[in-house]
Amino acid sequence: MKVAITGTGFMGTVHCEALKRVRGVEVVGIQGSTKEKSQEAAALLELPKAYSDFAELIADPEVEAVHITTPNRLHFEQASAALNAGKHVMCEKPLAMNATESAELVRLAQEKALAAAVNYNMRFYPLNLEAKQRVLAGKLGDIYSIFGSYQQDWLLYDTDYNWRVLAEEQGELRAVADIGTHWIDLVQNITGKKVEAVFAEVHTVHPIRKRPTGEVETFSGKVEAKESTEPIPVTTDDIGSVMLRFEGGGRGVMFVSQVTSGRKNCLRYEIAGSKASIQWNSEEPNQLWRGARDESNQVILKDPGLNDSLTRRFTDFPGGHAEGFPDTFKMCFRAFYQSIEDKDFGPNQSFATFEDGHREIRLCDAILESHQTQRWVEL
């Protein structure tokens, strides 16, 4: 399978490095916002082709699949063009800027009978797969509550800047859409319970940020010197709090923040059922806590010799050998390309499909509406 990547920033590099670890996949080229950036990235990542623009990328007959890692405002245009050119698509989240666009992408992928995925990589930590299998096996019982958070600190200061803070690039929601959707997708995937209604409040801590005269790569603000800046207004959210109602009567709470000191990339959830509870933290990803009423609590370790068969499918290293963030991309892409090999483009995949991506955008729309109207909004 020959693959090309659009986007040369942080995520483009992560995708490229993960794809090089997937058997049977070859990355043939990359395309950035300028020809010069394309050439720089191709040289850095040791790729044979540097495309001048996206049109040249999708016109390449050698390319069978496209990975989209560009700013959000480009996702719809690029995913549509790739599908129309007969290419399979793996898109960074969010799938599009609004639900109208994402619904059209779902329709187009179905019409073209192509594999179409959104990269919610958090699903592929081995112990999240283990958690899902335990829920499916009934080991938690009926789901009573789901709560947790996703917190970072890379936008803590008003001098921290990235294109994601701009509504015209990211969308009206940022913390909720950028990291909150990871949390929501993950807990829905683990429990099999969809969100039915939301009540939300979001907040912008820094309505004015100081933008450097040059662009800033994601997460690089702490190490890059800022020689000169200009003030810019910001309307996207730094913090979000959301109450959730799930199918089957479960209740939930999600808190997201990109301004929490010391939390670098910390997704946490706790799922409580009638028989047991489980808790997981992305900064300690190789441990899953299990809580019980009438027996001792447990810490379950990532160990393919002891974990469920599905977990073993997406675990490459033995117990005691940690697997982390880069491995989740590899496993997500492995599942995606296996579906292409199997010619299975249906909705029930281990990875997030365009249908899942569309639902996440509808959820964001409901969260924004709830914040604006201060009422429960049903999906």
Side-chain angles (χ1 to χ4, degrees), residues 114-308:
L114 292 163
V118 185
N119 183 41
Y120 284 109
N121 63 293
M122 288 288 185
R123 294 186 181 197
F124 286 89
Y125 280 98
L127 288 179
N128 286 334
L129 295 167
E130 180 73 13
K132 179 178 181 177
Q133 293 307 102
R134 286 174 177 256
V135 172
L136 286 173
K139 294 182 179 180
L140 270 65
D142 296 330
I143 302 300
Y144 290 162
S145 65
I146 306 168
F147 82 92
S149 60
Y150 199 157
Q151 296 168 275
Q152 301 171 332
D153 71 359
W154 71 291
L155 293 172
L156 176 62
Y157 303 127
D158 66 355
T159 52
D160 293 325
Y161 172 81
N162 177 263
W163 62 263
R164 296 178 189 275
V165 306
L166 303 177
E168 60 268 28
E169 298 281 344
Q170 165 73 32
E172 292 185 74
L173 290 176
R174 188 216 323 141
V176 167
D178 187 30
I179 57 177
T181 54
H182 267 297
W183 188 93
I184 294 173
D185 176 79
L186 180 59
V187 300
Q188 288 185 132
N189 184 250
I190 289 172
T191 63
K193 305 294 185 183
K194 301 297 185 185
V195 174
E196 291 186 328
V198 298
F199 192 105
E201 181 186 45
V202 300
H203 177 58
T204 304
V205 173
H206 298 301
I208 301 293
R209 285 184 179 268
K210 297 170 184 175
R211 178 168 61 186
T213 52
E215 273 300 334
V216 178
E217 295 290 351
T218 303
F219 298 125
S220 67
K222 289 185 291 186
V223 296
E224 289 187 354
K226 304 176 181 66
E227 295 182 359
S228 61
T229 63
E230 59 179 343
I232 59 162
V234 173
T235 59
T236 56
D237 51 302
D238 293 302
I239 290 173
S241 303
V242 187
M243 292 192 294
L244 307 154
R245 291 206 300 257
F246 290 87
E247 292 173 336
R251 297 298 192 265
V253 177
M254 176 188 72
F255 175 73
V256 296
S257 169
Q258 292 180 316
V259 290
T260 300
S261 296
R263 293 298 179 189
K264 306 307 176 186
N265 191 50
C266 183
L267 184 154
R268 293 178 284 189
Y269 65 75
E270 185 167 310
I271 302 170
S274 57
K275 296 180 181 179
S277 302
I278 52 174
Q279 184 271 335
W280 182 82
N281 176 350
S282 66
E283 292 189 338
E284 298 175 347
N286 292 280
Q287 297 181 13
L288 178 71
W289 177 88
R290 176 188 177 273
R293 163 91 178 244
D294 299 321
E295 56 185 287
S296 297
N297 295 339
Q298 296 176 303
V299 175
I300 300 156
L301 300 179
K302 187 228 73 170
D303 186 341
L306 301 173
N307 298 148
D308 182 86

Side-chain angles (χ1 to χ4, degrees), residues 130 133 304 306-315:
E130 180 73 13
Q133 293 307 102
L306 301 173
N307 298 148
D308 182 86
S309 58
L310 175 66
T311 311
R312 288 196 295 273
R313 278 180 53 201
F314 296 103
T315 308

Side-chain angles (χ1 to χ4, degrees), residues 5-16:
I5 299 168
T6 177
T8 57
F10 171 68
M11 273 298 151
T13 299
V14 172
H15 277 240
C16 184

Side-chain angles (χ1 to χ4, degrees), residues 73-149:
R73 63 180 173 81
L74 298 175
H75 290 183
F76 174 72
E77 175 187 348
Q78 292 182 328
S80 299
L83 290 169
N84 279 316
K87 318 293 187 183
H88 305 290
V89 175
M90 169 66 71
C91 186
E92 268 302 321
K93 50 81 199 147
L95 178 56
M97 292 286 276
N98 56 62
T100 300
E101 291 181 348
S102 59
E104 171 59 17
L105 290 176
V106 170
R107 185 202 65 77
L108 188 58
Q110 292 172 346
E111 175 189 296
K112 300 294 183 180
L114 292 163
V118 185
N119 183 41
Y120 284 109
N121 63 293
M122 288 288 185
R123 294 186 181 197
F124 286 89
Y125 280 98
L127 288 179
N128 286 334
L129 295 167
E130 180 73 13
K132 179 178 181 177
Q133 293 307 102
R134 286 174 177 256
V135 172
L136 286 173
K139 294 182 179 180
L140 270 65
D142 296 330
I143 302 300
Y144 290 162
S145 65
I146 306 168
F147 82 92
S149 60

